[in-house]
Amino acid sequence: MSFKFRSLATSFALVGMLAFSAACSSDDSAVEGGTTTPPGKDKQFQLAFASGSGSESAIYMQGVDDVTKGTISFSNSGYQLPSSRTARIFVSADGKYVYSLNYTVGDISKLEHLGGQNYKQVAHIDSSPILGVKSGRFTKVTEDLGSIHYIKATAKYSDQEGKQGYLGHSMVASIALLDLDKFAFTNSETQIEVKIPEELAKQGYYISRIDSPVLSGDKLYYGASASLLDLTTGKRKPVDKAFTLVVDKNDLTKTSVLTTDHVEGTTNGYRTPTLHKDEQGAVLQMVNGNDKTYVTKLVNGAYDKSFIFDLGAALGGKKVSSNGWFYVGNGIGYMPYQKLDEEGFEMGVDPQGNPTKTNLWGLARIDLNNKTAVDLNVPNGKLWLTQYQTSIVRDGKFYIALSEVSGEGNIYIFDVASNAPEGVKGAKITSGKDQYYIGVY
């Protein structure tokens, strides 16, 4: 589910929060940046933090040595990333570089992490001239490759007024591939014609958004938000299929669209990744539909209709929704999900000033090999993970930052080899009014 919020914060000042404490030395908590631990073997954990849940959001990052104890705060601390709206953030595997998209502006920055809250911009590139739009979405596909991507769908009619004789939608994608080392675009196309099967196009299906690509072989698989036009009313109606855009990495004009009806819903997600590649090269894809969330599999360029994982069914018949998930290997993943069966809570207001409601969130450990899920013991409070972006596995442990908006929480740590619902509560994390954590890197 999606909601529009107006920020509750009157400014992006970070107030009312505790100083960074027991987990680190006094140097670590210093406003001027703390330690200068070099990236590599002893790399710090990096946390991302947002101030403002509405259309505008200030984003901050900082590195810490230990997330298992003490208190972590962004009060008077943190490096502010350029962000018109919530920045899209990725970090290199060694923790040395941060890549951040200033969404709705189109700028992508490469920063070197020097330890603590010390970051230095080492490269910058504007995607809007080459992509043709400022609102492309960005993903770090591999350690060497990034993708910034956008698609536009336009309804076509036989009459000049555009009201009669529906001919389907024209879909044009723009994709630019970014060399993350040289920080230069290596390949780009702005007029990529995307076609879905003709019989589906005539029925009113079209793709309106793409995101979260993974690379398998020489093919990029992009999750897709598909829509279905009701030809009798001219309005959209629920989609009963799932779609994936496949693009040749070496020739971006070579595309195909995969579709299936054994699951239904969107596959592009929001901030959290939805597609992952498993150890055999298959693409594991989250599909979010009407009160249901699935994981399906694409093998050798086609949907494997024999494979389906239903999160709600695995949790005992719950109605659920999700924006994405994290694959940790060997068929195991962690999926934040919305609890559609439970009463939500008020958060923010709509443009008319009326209070809006959002759903409570949980976290499930999923086992795709055995088609099971464990509802993990995480806070039952007002978790809001709509904007959550990244969690990591380090030394066999999964780390996720869970706190209420405008409240407190913890870093939660789960042994990926264990299916026990109880994890370890790590460092306490604090936030001020209309503020929340969006990632652990």
Side-chain angles (χ1 to χ4, degrees), residues 89-143:
I89 304 165
F90 297 87
V91 175
S92 61
D94 61 5
K96 183 175 183 181
Y97 295 112
V98 174
Y99 311 100
S100 177
L101 168 70
N102 188 357
Y103 179 59
T104 72
V105 175
D107 294 352
I108 307 174
S109 299
K110 180 178 181 178
L111 303 105
E112 183 177 1
H113 182 219
L114 303 176
Q117 65 173 0
N118 290 330
Y119 292 82
K120 179 178 71 173
Q121 181 171 293
V122 295
H124 169 271
I125 196 166
D126 185 358
S127 69
S128 59
I130 195 167
L131 206 64
V133 295
K134 294 180 179 292
S135 54
R137 290 170 170 81
F138 174 64
T139 300
K140 188 190 85 168
V141 181
T142 69
E143 288 303 298

Side-chain angles (χ1 to χ4, degrees), residues 179-255:
D179 183 317
L180 296 178
D181 181 30
K182 299 176 181 178
F183 222 64
F185 290 116
T186 61
N187 194 6
S188 66
E189 294 286 347
T190 60
Q191 295 293 316
I192 304 171
E193 187 177 12
V194 175
K195 291 186 175 182
I196 64 175
E198 185 176 356
E199 64 275 13
L200 296 181
K202 290 179 179 178
Q203 294 172 35
Y205 293 90
Y206 61 95
I207 292 173
S208 56
R209 183 177 294 184
I210 56 172
D211 206 0
S212 193
V214 295
L215 180 66
S216 183
D218 60 357
K219 303 294 184 183
L220 288 158
Y221 292 78
Y222 290 84
S225 176
S227 299
L228 176 59
L229 183 68
D230 188 326
L231 302 183
T232 61
T233 65
K235 298 179 180 180
R236 289 191 297 178
K237 60 182 182 180
V239 176
D240 56 357
K241 304 180 190 304
F243 292 77
T244 301
L245 174 64
V246 184
V247 180
D248 190 309
K249 179 177 73 74
N250 302 312
D251 184 350
L252 301 178
T253 65
K254 293 182 178 179
T255 68

Side-chain angles (χ1 to χ4, degrees), residues 291-294 309-320 337 341 373:
D291 295 344
K292 291 181 178 291
T293 298
Y294 309 95
F309 171 82
D310 184 329
L311 175 64
L315 290 174
K318 294 184 177 181
K319 292 181 179 180
V320 298
Y337 73 94
D341 289 318

Side-chain angles (χ1 to χ4, degrees), residues 297-319:
K297 186 180 294 187
L298 298 102
V299 180
N300 297 325
Y303 276 100
D304 177 1
K305 292 189 176 183
S306 69
F307 181 87
I308 182 172
F309 171 82
D310 184 329
L311 175 64
L315 290 174
K318 294 184 177 181
K319 292 181 179 180

Side-chain angles (χ1 to χ4, degrees), residues 336-379:
Y337 73 94
Q338 295 184 75
K339 302 178 178 181
L340 304 185
D341 289 318
E342 299 184 17
E343 182 71 18
F345 64 95
E346 290 186 5
M347 181 179 148
V349 294
D350 64 20
Q352 289 73 45
N354 302 312
T356 58
K357 271 195 171 184
T358 186
N359 296 107
L360 297 169
W361 286 75
L363 178 66
R365 178 191 187 269
I366 63 176
D367 184 335
L368 300 179
N369 296 328
N370 295 303
K371 308 288 182 67
T372 58
V374 176
D375 206 4
L376 299 174
N377 290 337
V378 297

Side-chain angles (χ1 to χ4, degrees), residues 16-140:
M17 302 168 68
L18 298 175
F20 185 79
S21 63
C24 303
S25 68
S26 58
D27 285 342
D28 290 329
S29 60
V31 172
E32 60 266 28
T35 65
T36 55
T37 304
K41 182 179 179 182
D42 299 320
K43 66 182 179 181
Q44 292 185 311
F45 291 88
Q46 295 179 64
L47 285 86
F49 178 84
S51 180
S53 60
S55 60
E56 296 180 347
S57 184
I59 305 298
Y60 300 82
M61 289 193 76
Q62 67 172 307
V64 299
D65 291 327
D66 190 353
V67 295
T68 65
K69 58 186 178 182
T71 300
I72 298 171
S73 167
F74 276 79
S75 178
N76 298 318
S77 185
Y79 178 92
Q80 185 171 1
L81 297 169
S83 60
S84 172
R85 294 182 65 179
T86 306
R88 272 65 165 176
I89 304 165
F90 297 87
V91 175
S92 61
D94 61 5
K96 183 175 183 181
Y97 295 112
V98 174
Y99 311 100
S100 177
L101 168 70
N102 188 357
Y103 179 59
T104 72
V105 175
D107 294 352
I108 307 174
S109 299
K110 180 178 181 178
L111 303 105
E112 183 177 1
H113 182 219
L114 303 176
Q117 65 173 0
N118 290 330
Y119 292 82
K120 179 178 71 173
Q121 181 171 293
V122 295
H124 169 271
I125 196 166
D126 185 358
S127 69
S128 59
I130 195 167
L131 206 64
V133 295
K134 294 180 179 292
S135 54
R137 290 170 170 81
F138 174 64
T139 300
K140 188 190 85 168

